[in-house]
Amino acid sequence: MSTSDKNIPTETEQPSEQKWQYKGSNPLYSFFNELIFGMGTKKMIELLASPLGLIGVFFVVISVALPLLPNTGGLLQTFRFIFFFIALGESYNIIGGYGGEVDFGHVVFFGIGGYAAAITYVNYGLNLWLAFLMGGVIAALYGLIIGFPILRLRGAYFAVAMLAIATITQQVISYFSDFTGGGQGISTGKILSEFGDIYIAGYYLMLVASILAFIITHYVSYSRLGLSLRAIKESPEGASSIGINVLYTKLTAFIISAFIAGIVGAFNITILFVVTPDQTFPTALTVQMIIITFIGGGASVFGPVIGAILLSPLDVLLTQMLAGVSISLFGLKLDFSSGYIIIYGLIFILAILYLPKGIMGYFHDKGWVAEESIIDKDSVKIGNKRQLYPSWKETEIAKSETIDINKAGKEPTIGINKPGKEPPLILEVLNIHKQFGGINAVDDVTLNVYKNELLGLIGPNGAGKTTLFNIISGYYKPTSGTVLLNQKVITGIPFHKSIKLGIARTFQLVHVFPNLTVMENVLASAFNGRRESVSYTDGLSISVEALEFIGLEQLAHQKVSNLVINEQKKLELARVLAADPDVILLDEIIAGLNPSETEELMNIIRRIRNERGKTIVFVEHVMKAVMSISDRIAVLDLGKLIADGSPKEISKNAAVINAYLGSTASEVSKYVEN
Amino acid sequence: MNLDIIFNLILLGIIIGTIYSLIAMGLSLIWGVSRIINVAHGEFIVIGAYVTYYMFNTFHGDPSLYLIPSGLVVGLIGVIIQLLLYNRIVGRDHLTSLVLAFGVSIVLSGSMYILFTGNLRVVNSFYSEKSILIGSATVRWGAIYGFFIALILILLVFLLLEKTDIGRAIRAIAQDKDAAILMGINPQRIYLIAMFISAFLAGVSGNIVAVLYSFDPGVGESSYLGISFVITVLAGLGSIKGLILAGIFILTAQNFTSVYAQGLETAMGFLIMILFILFKPTGLFGKLLE
C-alpha cells in the first residue's frame, strides 16, 4: 500500500518543520543548573513566601534567640530534642519514606558519625569542625560499603540485615578497644575547651543539623533522584524497565541519608563526655526515628518535622510526669517511669491502623497540601503540539490507517515481504536456549527481526514467548545463545540497561507507578531512557509530546491509581515512547481489553511503527488482532520456533494448527482443505 | 586448642542449639504461614519466662510444672493480638505487618518494665544450681531439661504439621494461600491457629529461658529476637530439619567465636545470616518468601 510509505518519517523529513528538537545537554551543567535553578529552589522560595514557611522562619528565629533569654534551661532541652529528631527523622525519611524500606539499623550511621568525629578529634587532633565533617563523610562512606550488598535485599530481609549490621558494627567497635576505647569509650572532655557552654553549643549545632537535614531532604524530594526513588518504591520492575538503575539510585539515597545521620551523630558528641558503644548505638533511637517518620508521614519533607514536634515534647513531658509515679496493684508495685514508651508504641499502632500514610499523607489525601512533585502543573503546557515528528498528519492517518480487525490476514503493508527491497536487520536472536531446572523453556530459537516491522509472536501458553522477551530485554540470562542488536552482541545485559541500548519492553501485568501522576510516570522514563543527559525542560517536552501522541494528555496530572486498565496500558506505551527505543517488545498488551479498546490500542501501536519508525515485536493471544496488524508472525511451541511467515501463511500452517488445536484438528483441517 | 575443648564446644552447641531451634520455631512458623514477621516474638518469650518466674515463686515445686501454663498464657496473648491487630492488616503490603509487630513489641516490653520492673530475674531451682558431667563438659541440668523439652516439642510440631488435618491446612496456606482458599480452607482460622502455636512455642521457650538464664524485659529484643531471625533465615522457611541444623550450627559457631574473640558472638551469628541472605536466601532447606 502506498499510503504507509508516505507516513514513515525519514531522516530528511523531520527537521524541516520541527519547532522543537531534543539536543541533549552537559550532564554536569544540568545537575548544577537544576540544583540551583531547578524545582528544589523554586519550591523553597514558594515555601518561604507561604504562611507555613513564615511560621517556619518564625520558629527558627525563636530557636536562635532562645538561649539568649534567661531561665530557659528546660525549654532548651526540649527544643534540642526536637531538632535532634527532625534531623534524624529526615535522614530516616530518605531511605524509609522516599525509598519505601524499613530500616531496623539506621542508628548505625549515627553511631559511626559519632565515633568518626571522636576518633579524628581526640586521637588524631583534627580540628573540631573538620572532625564533625569527617563524621558525616565516614558515615556516608560506610553507607556506600554496606549499601552495595545490602540494598539488593528487599522488604523484611533488608530490615533484618540492617539490624544485623548495626549489632555487628557495635560489637566490632567494642572489640577493637585499642582504637575505639572498647566498652570504656573515648573521652571527649577536650571539647569543653572549644565552647563556652557546651549545652548551648550542642543546642545550636542541632538546630543547624535539623535545618541542613530539612534542606537536603527538600532538594532530594524535588529532584530526579526523588522521582526515581518514588518510582522504585512503587514498582522496582517498572523502574528498571524504563532504565532506572535501582541499586545505584537507592545507594545514592542511602549515602545522603547516612551523611545526615553521621553529621547528627558527630554533633551529638559535643554534649557527651564520653563516647561509648552503648550511648552511640542506642537501639531505641532507631525505634524513635521510625515512629517519628511514620506518624509525621514518610515521603514528605514535613513529615519528620511534624512527627518530631508532636512526639519529642510528649516524650519529655511524659518522662517528667511519670518519673517516680507508682501504684500498687495485687501486690505488684507498678513503676510508670518508663511509661512513655508504651504511649509511644500505642500511638504508633493506632497510626499504622488508622493513619497508614501518617499525618502528611492524610493531608495529601484530603488535598489540603499538594504532594511534592518535580513537575509544576502550571508550567506544563499541554495542547501545544510541540512534536518531535511534525510530519504526523492527524486527519490523513486517521482516515487511511484505521485498521479493521475483522479483515484478518490482509497483505502486510511494510517490512520484509515487500518485493524488491531488502530490509535491514535490527534484532537477531541466535540459537537461544533457556533451561529452568530440567525444562527447556526456550529451545534453540533463532529469529530475525527487521527494521520497522511489526512482528507478532504467538504460541500456546507455556510456549516460551515471555521467556524469550525476558532474554532479549536482559531480564533473564540465556543458558546459551546470542542476541544481537544492530550487529552488536547484547546477550545478558542488565535489564535496566536494555532501554539505553534501544530495547523497551512492557509487561503482561502493567508495571506503572500507581501513586505517581501520569506525567511523572512518563517524565521518569524520559530522564532515564535512551536519550542521554536530558535536561529538565527537554524532559517535560518529551513527556508532553509522548502523552499527546498516545492521547493521554488530558490525564497528565491525574494519579495513575485513578486510571482504568486501558488507560494504564496506554500509559505504558507513552512511557516507552518517552524512553525513545528502537525496538519495542509488547507482552500481551491487549489482554483484558474489550474490542473497541483493543482496536484503539492496535491503532496506536501501528502509529508508533508508522510515524515513529519503531520496530515492534508483540506477544498476543487475540488472533484477530495479531492477524490484522502483523507484517509477519513467528510461532513458538514448547520452546521451539515452529513457523515464521506472513499471517496468511501462518493461518494455513499445519504445524501451527497442530500446536494450537492438537493433531486431530490438523487432520481435520487437511481434510477440509482437500 | 585441645580436643576436649572442641568436644565441649560442640556438645554445648548441640544442646543449647536445639533449645534455640525451639526459640526460633515460633517466629519461623508465623512468618511462613501468615507472612507476619513477628518482631514481638522476643517479648512473647520473655512473657513466658515471667509466667514461670511468678508461678514458681508463688507455688514453688518443679519449674517444669509451669511449662504448659507459660505456653498457654502466651498463646492466649498471641491470639488476642492476632484478632485485635494482625487480622486488620491482611492484604496490606508486607512491610505493614513488620512495623505493626514492631509497635506491638514496643508496647509489650514497655508494659513489662512497668509490671515487672527492669530488675534481672532468676528462677533458682535444681536446674540452675546442679550440673552434670558429660565427658569433660559441665552441663547444667537446665540445659539438659531444655534440650529434651525442645526435642519433644519440635517432634510434636512436626507430627502436627505432617500428620493432622490442621497441619495439612496450615502447610497448604503457607504454600499457596489462594489455592488453599479455593480448597475451602478458611485462612483467618489458620492464621489464628498458627499464631496460637507460635506464641505457645514462644511461651514454652520462655519457661526454658527462665530456668536456664537470668532475664529482664529487655532481653527479648536484645537476646532472643536477633538469634531467632538468624536461625530462621539459615534454616529456610518451612523446614523443621533446617531449624534444628541451623540452631546447632549457629550456637556452635558462636561457642567457637567466644573462645577466639569474646564479645563478637552475636556479630558472628548476624554475619553468617547476612552471608546467607545475600548468597543463599533460601536457607539450608527452605524456600524464599517475600
Side-chain angles (χ1 to χ4, degrees), chain A residues 227-236 239 244-246 249-250:
Chain A
L227 181 64
S228 297
L229 272 178
R230 270 176 282 173
I232 293 169
K233 182 182 174 183
E234 299 288 318
S235 162
I244 295 175
N245 187 331
V246 172
T249 306
K250 278 189 177 175

Side-chain angles (χ1 to χ4, degrees), chain A residues 478-495:
Chain A
T479 312
S480 67
T482 317
V483 181
L484 293 154
L485 178 73
N486 291 321
Q487 281 85 50
K488 278 186 204 125
V489 178
I490 59 158
T491 326
I493 39 148
F495 181 46

Side-chain angles (χ1 to χ4, degrees), chain A residues 309-624:
Chain A
I309 290 176
L310 288 180
L311 290 177
S312 303
L314 188 73
D315 189 339
V316 176
L317 205 70
L318 285 172
T319 311
Q320 281 170 1
M321 271 171 55
L322 295 172
V325 175
S326 65
I327 53 168
S328 286
L329 197 75
F330 307 121
L332 283 175
K333 191 170 167 290
L334 306 183
D335 179 2
F336 284 96
S337 304
S338 55
Y340 78 94
I341 194 77
I342 301 182
I343 295 175
Y344 240 70
L346 285 175
I347 294 175
F348 186 42
I349 290 176
L350 289 175
I352 294 166
L353 294 179
Y354 300 108
L355 212 60
K357 292 183 196 163
I359 293 168
M360 285 307 290
Y362 182 75
F363 287 177
H364 291 322
D365 287 350
K366 287 276 170 191
W368 297 341
V369 181
E371 279 187 54
E372 291 156 17
S373 169
I374 191 171
I375 297 169
D376 202 350
K377 281 183 198 175
D378 305 330
S379 66
V380 177
K381 293 196 175 51
I382 288 166
N384 278 9
K385 301 272 181 215
R386 281 170 300 182
Q387 280 149 24
L388 272 173
Y389 299 93
S391 58
W392 168 30
K393 293 182 184 63
E394 256 180 306
T395 46
E396 201 178 308
I397 290 157
K399 275 179 210 152
S400 65
E401 287 296 319
T402 304
I403 36 169
D404 180 359
I405 60 170
N406 294 317
K407 282 187 193 165
K410 68 175 181 178
E411 283 301 322
T413 54
I414 219 167
I416 49 155
N417 289 344
K418 195 162 277 218
K421 220 179 184 180
E422 183 61 27
L425 269 173
I426 186 156
L427 184 70
E428 292 162 79
V429 175
L430 297 174
N431 306 99
I432 288 287
H433 276 281
K434 178 70 187 177
Q435 284 191 322
F436 292 111
I439 298 156
N440 286 316
V442 176
D443 191 359
D444 197 23
V445 168
T446 296
L447 183 65
N448 288 334
V449 180
Y450 299 92
K451 199 169 185 330
N452 205 225
E453 82 170 325
L454 254 167
L455 172 66
L457 189 59
I458 63 170
N461 285 322
K465 305 177 299 283
T466 300
T467 309
L468 190 61
F469 267 20
N470 283 337
I471 289 167
I472 296 171
S473 61
Y475 201 75
Y476 290 157
K477 277 193 172 64
T479 312
S480 67
T482 317
V483 181
L484 293 154
L485 178 73
N486 291 321
Q487 281 85 50
K488 278 186 204 125
V489 178
I490 59 158
T491 326
I493 39 148
F495 181 46
H496 64 86
K497 279 198 182 138
S498 65
I499 186 71
K500 312 256 193 240
L501 298 171
I503 297 181
R505 77 161 291 185
T506 65
F507 294 89
Q508 215 165 325
L509 301 168
V510 286
H511 275 304
V512 289
F513 313 127
N515 280 313
L516 268 56
T517 66
V518 168
M519 182 86 175
E520 284 172 327
N521 268 264
V522 182
L523 186 63
S525 175
F527 281 154
N528 297 289
R530 186 154 71 126
R531 296 184 180 95
E532 274 169 21
S533 46
V534 177
S535 74
Y536 179 71
T537 41
D538 281 357
L540 285 185
S541 301
I542 291 168
S543 306
V544 170
E545 196 271 340
L547 286 174
E548 286 175 347
F549 186 89
I550 301 292
L552 275 181
E553 70 275 12
Q554 296 308 322
L555 298 172
H557 300 303
Q558 284 284 326
K559 254 197 183 179
V560 173
S561 50
N562 298 336
L563 266 55
V564 297
I565 187 70
N566 77 319
E567 289 166 342
Q568 294 195 10
K569 296 205 169 195
K570 283 200 244 171
L571 173 59
E572 279 211 320
L573 286 177
R575 219 167 57 170
V576 163
L577 268 190
D580 193 34
D582 288 332
V583 180
I584 303 173
L585 310 175
L586 302 175
D587 197 351
E588 293 195 37
I589 191 145
I590 60 171
L593 300 185
N594 69 32
S596 71
E597 289 165 347
T598 302
E599 198 172 322
E600 189 190 0
L601 216 60
M602 283 285 133
N603 270 321
I604 293 174
I605 290 168
R606 176 173 286 219
R607 278 179 42 218
I608 290 174
R609 189 274 296 269
N610 287 358
E611 295 163 32
R612 290 300 160 86
K614 308 288 183 207
T615 307
I616 297 173
V617 184
F618 64 104
V619 164
E620 208 53 74
H621 278 301
V622 184
M623 278 308 147
K624 261 188 186 175

